[in-house]
Amino acid sequence: MKILITGYSGFIGSYLQKKLEKTEHELILVDIANGTNICDWQQVKQYEGMDVIVHLANLSFVPASYEQPKRFYETNYLSTLNMLELCRLNNAKMVFFSSYIYGHPQYQPIDENHPTQAFNPYAQTKVICESLCEGYNRDFKVPITIFRPFNIYGTGQNPDFLIPSIIQQAKTGKIVVKDDRPKRDYIHVEDIVDAIITAIETENVDKSIQKYNLGSGLSYSVKEIVDMVRELFDTEIEYICTHEIRPNDVMDTIADISKIQNELHWKPSISILEGLTKMVSE
């Protein structure tokens, strides 16, 4: 197949590109890194003949979405709109990368039917973009797979995110965190890539829109992550929790991944301990 990937130079995109390059698929790599602004229709309308578009490019760092909301809304909305329009014109299918958009869970584990609730500007852009996907599927029968990843981690992630930050601090001999209570469902980037490739290679005969959680079905607290990381080092590592509580923080998230297991026959293969070990050793 001919596959267009946006955001190929990013965290997930770089892993996906490497894995797909080992297959027979033809790749079209589109990113601001190679001079293409996918928010500009004049720059992207030239692309044609693709069978699948994997749309990964977006602004995603939550604190920055509070500082630059207009940039987040424009970038994430316009890039998604342009990729959907390319799908419509080329009879291609879309693999759209959303986010955790469930807010404070009403029940656990969280399935795809759980009410969505944007709780920051970044999550709001994803809710809007999912709605845009629904419109293109309803009105133009663009086949769409939407992934809702919980907490992604892995080597090469932005060092501002929790797990890379903890590992980087551990290397200095001292880990400081603000609140070590919140629990999250962590999913390794390599498992994410396997799910994307499964979606690419699964034929969507009825041209439907499908939404899938990506997680492990298990949750770990910040303190549990810290303890696991400390165990992976030979030296004694000091640990401090300052107990700074983030307002409105979600205290626990567990993904129900039964839908993707049943329909796409995907399940994660890298445990949290294995994933942390890989990051520490690399």
Side-chain angles (χ1 to χ4, degrees):
M1 285 185 286
K2 195 171 181 179
I3 304 167
L4 187 151
I5 305 172
T6 72
Y8 72 90
S9 68
F11 176 43
I12 299 168
S14 57
Y15 278 87
L16 180 63
Q17 179 192 349
K18 283 177 191 167
K19 191 139 189 182
L20 284 174
E21 281 177 343
K22 297 174 184 174
T23 69
E24 298 298 311
H25 300 305
E26 178 185 346
L27 304 184
I28 307 171
L29 303 175
V30 183
D31 199 307
I32 201 71
N34 63 2
T36 305
N37 177 7
I38 60 172
C39 294
D40 183 352
W41 176 247
Q42 296 306 313
Q43 291 189 42
V44 297
K45 67 180 183 181
Q46 62 181 329
Y47 295 107
E48 57 186 21
M50 70 288 294
D51 301 293
V52 183
I53 293 178
V54 181
H55 182 36
L56 297 172
N58 74 132
L59 298 176
S60 62
F61 190 53
V62 172
S65 74
Y66 283 99
E67 297 163 7
Q68 301 175 303
K70 182 175 181 291
R71 181 167 170 253
F72 267 70
Y73 281 108
E74 280 183 348
T75 301
N76 293 356
Y77 179 85
L78 289 175
S79 63
T80 304
L81 175 61
N82 285 345
M83 292 308 109
L84 284 166
E85 181 66 2
L86 274 184
C87 283
R88 182 184 75 85
L89 295 174
N90 289 275
N91 294 314
K93 78 175 179 181
M94 172 88 132
V95 177
F96 175 68
F97 220 74
S98 185
S99 181
Y100 175 89
I101 54 171
Y102 300 114
H104 290 273
Q106 296 178 15
Y107 55 84
Q108 301 263 35
I110 302 161
D111 61 21
E112 291 83 357
N113 294 320
H114 187 289
T116 59
Q117 177 195 8
F119 54 107
N120 57 57
Y122 166 64
Q124 186 69 64
T125 70
K126 291 301 188 179
V127 170
I128 291 169
C129 290
E130 280 201 19
S131 179
L132 195 56
C133 288
E134 288 165 2
Y136 263 77
N137 176 259
R138 180 194 63 227
D139 299 329
F140 309 111
K141 300 295 181 282
V142 173
I144 300 171
T145 299
I146 293 175
F147 284 128
R148 292 172 174 171
F150 279 53
N151 285 64
I152 309 169
Y153 73 103
T155 303
Q157 188 176 29
N158 184 324
D160 291 329
F161 283 83
L162 179 71
I163 288 180
S165 169
I166 288 172
I167 291 172
Q168 198 56 44
Q169 289 186 73
K171 291 176 179 176
T172 71
K174 180 179 179 180
I175 299 172
V176 181
V177 301
K178 293 179 179 177
D179 185 358
D180 61 10
R181 301 171 303 153
K183 301 178 72 175
R184 295 290 183 267
D185 188 327
Y186 293 96
I187 176 79
H188 194 273
V189 63
E190 291 176 31
D191 282 326
I192 293 281
V193 165
D194 287 341
I196 293 171
I197 292 174
T198 301
I200 287 170
E201 297 178 345
T202 300
E203 190 175 358
N204 191 335
V205 180
D206 59 0
K207 295 187 178 295
S208 61
I209 182 168
Q210 297 295 337
K211 301 169 184 177
Y212 298 109
N213 288 336
L214 292 178
S216 68
L218 301 166
S219 70
Y220 298 89
S221 69
V222 173
K223 179 65 164 60
E224 288 174 303
I225 297 294
V226 168
D227 289 344
M228 282 188 270
V229 169
R230 291 171 80 194
E231 284 291 320
L232 294 172
F233 284 81
D234 296 329
T235 54
E236 187 68 29
I237 296 166
E238 185 183 356
Y239 170 63
I240 298 171
C241 178
T242 61
H243 301 289
E244 296 173 53
I245 310 302
R246 285 196 307 185
N248 204 34
D249 200 3
V250 176
M251 294 311 296
D252 194 10
T253 59
I254 305 171
D256 183 336
I257 55 172
S258 56
K259 184 183 180 191
I260 190 169
Q261 285 179 304
N262 293 334
E263 295 182 7
L264 297 186
H265 310 295
W266 170 93
K267 63 179 180 180
S269 62
I270 300 174
S271 70
I272 185 68
L273 185 56
E274 184 185 349
L276 292 173
T277 303
K278 285 164 72 85
M279 290 181 72
V280 168
S281 63
E282 292 170 349

